[in-house]
Amino acid sequence: AQSVSQHNHHVILSEAASLELGCNYSYGGTVNLFWYVQYPGQHLQLLLKYFSGDPLVKGIKGFEAEFIKSKFSFNLRKPSVQWSDTAEYFCAVKAAGNKLTFGGGTRVLVKP
Amino acid sequence: DAGVIQSPRHEVTEMGQEVTLRCKPISGHNSLFWYRQTMMRGLELLIYFNNNVPIDDSGMPEDRFSAKMPNASFSTLKIQPSEPRDSAVYFCASSFPQISYNEQFFGPGTRLTVL
């Protein structure tokens, strides 16, 4: 069965710091990859997605992610975070079937 | 455009009562997913439907939980009888895999509290 690992459960950083969240998955075939964000008290919203082509994907709000197939990774980055980026971030993978497998989430707290 | 609609947004009930959560997917989407989110267990997939047919219900906790999708525009998740440990936020999501590569669109959620 496919699985998704997000290694950091909690991240605390200051405004303007750079952010990188790790995501690794276990599936040897073709995958679609997603990062979702959940702001406090809200539902999950799509940040970015990868299907094919350029492994460096740019999303909303200045986020980007890089797909490295050899490492089974899809790490999320933002060069300079803002207080409003405080949220929980979920990596998800679509392998076989139509369902997504979500990671456990990473809670990010940005201190003003 | 209307997104995924869930009702009620909040539900408070007493242990033993029946609870029904409702979801209207985005028009034209043919896959629907029910998730449960708690602090302890994170985001869990309970069940999903393709073209109104349940495909994978392995995440349904026990027989007290049931889900139906009588048509393409409506689904229910029922808990009978409810227990305090069912307290969680329940999300419904929909997708159109043939177009959006399985990107899922989430509803606002139903916050369930069982006393």
Side-chain angles (χ1 to χ4, degrees):
Chain A
Q2 63 215 45
S3 64
V4 179
S5 297
Q6 293 182 239
H7 312 296
N8 307 102
H9 297 292
H10 294 90
V11 172
I12 301 173
L13 59 168
S14 299
E15 276 192 315
S18 64
L19 173 70
E20 180 161 1
L21 303 181
C23 173
N24 287 89
Y25 63 93
S26 62
Y27 185 74
T30 301
V31 293
N32 297 337
L33 299 158
F34 305 83
W35 275 98
Y36 282 84
V37 61
Q38 185 177 29
Y39 298 105
Q42 295 189 25
H43 60 284
L44 276 74
Q45 304 169 48
L46 184 71
L47 265 183
L48 48 78
K49 56 193 175 188
Y50 171 81
F51 303 134
S52 64
D54 189 344
L56 185 61
V57 179
K58 294 192 183 300
I60 61 171
K61 305 187 180 187
F63 285 91
E64 65 179 29
E66 184 174 14
F67 171 49
I68 303 180
K69 187 174 182 179
S70 61
K71 295 185 177 180
F72 299 91
S73 70
F74 189 56
N75 292 352
L76 180 71
R77 296 194 291 255
K78 185 170 183 177
S80 177
V81 295
Q82 301 173 313
W83 176 79
S84 57
D85 294 321
T86 293
E88 188 163 13
Y89 294 80
F90 294 90
C91 180
V93 174
K94 182 269 176 187
N98 287 341
K99 69 178 183 180
L100 299 183
T101 300
F102 282 85
T106 299
R107 290 178 181 264
V108 174
L109 173 63
V110 180
K111 297 185 294 183
Chain B
D1 288 342
V4 175
I5 299 172
Q6 291 186 247
S7 64
R9 294 292 307 275
H10 301 270
E11 176 83 31
V12 180
T13 190
E14 292 188 343
M15 183 174 62
Q17 297 298 306
E18 176 180 299
V19 175
T20 300
L21 311 181
R22 297 173 176 80
C23 175
K24 177 178 169 55
I26 292 172
S27 178
H29 283 193
N30 59 356
S31 293
L32 183 139
F33 307 80
W34 281 102
Y35 292 89
R36 177 173 68 177
Q37 186 177 39
T38 61
M39 288 290 291
M40 292 297 295
R41 301 173 69 91
L43 190 66
E44 305 172 273
L45 176 66
L46 301 177
I47 185 171
Y48 83 95
F49 297 83
N50 276 352
N51 297 314
N52 313 339
V53 176
I55 301 301
D56 183 353
D57 65 354
S58 58
M60 295 286 263
E62 48 198 276
D63 291 346
R64 296 185 297 106
F65 284 69
S66 63
K68 294 182 179 180
M69 192 164 186
N71 57 62
S73 59
F74 183 66
S75 176
T76 59
L77 178 68
K78 185 177 294 186
I79 308 172
Q80 166 63 20
S82 58
E83 297 182 4
R85 61 193 168 118
D86 301 330
S87 297
V89 180
Y90 291 82
F91 289 105
C92 176
S94 70
S95 73
F96 190 0
Q98 294 84 348
I99 297 294
S100 62
Y101 296 92
N102 297 92
E103 174 185 348
Q104 292 183 14
F105 296 80
F106 283 76
T110 295
R111 182 173 295 277
L112 174 65
T113 303
V114 183
L115 303 174

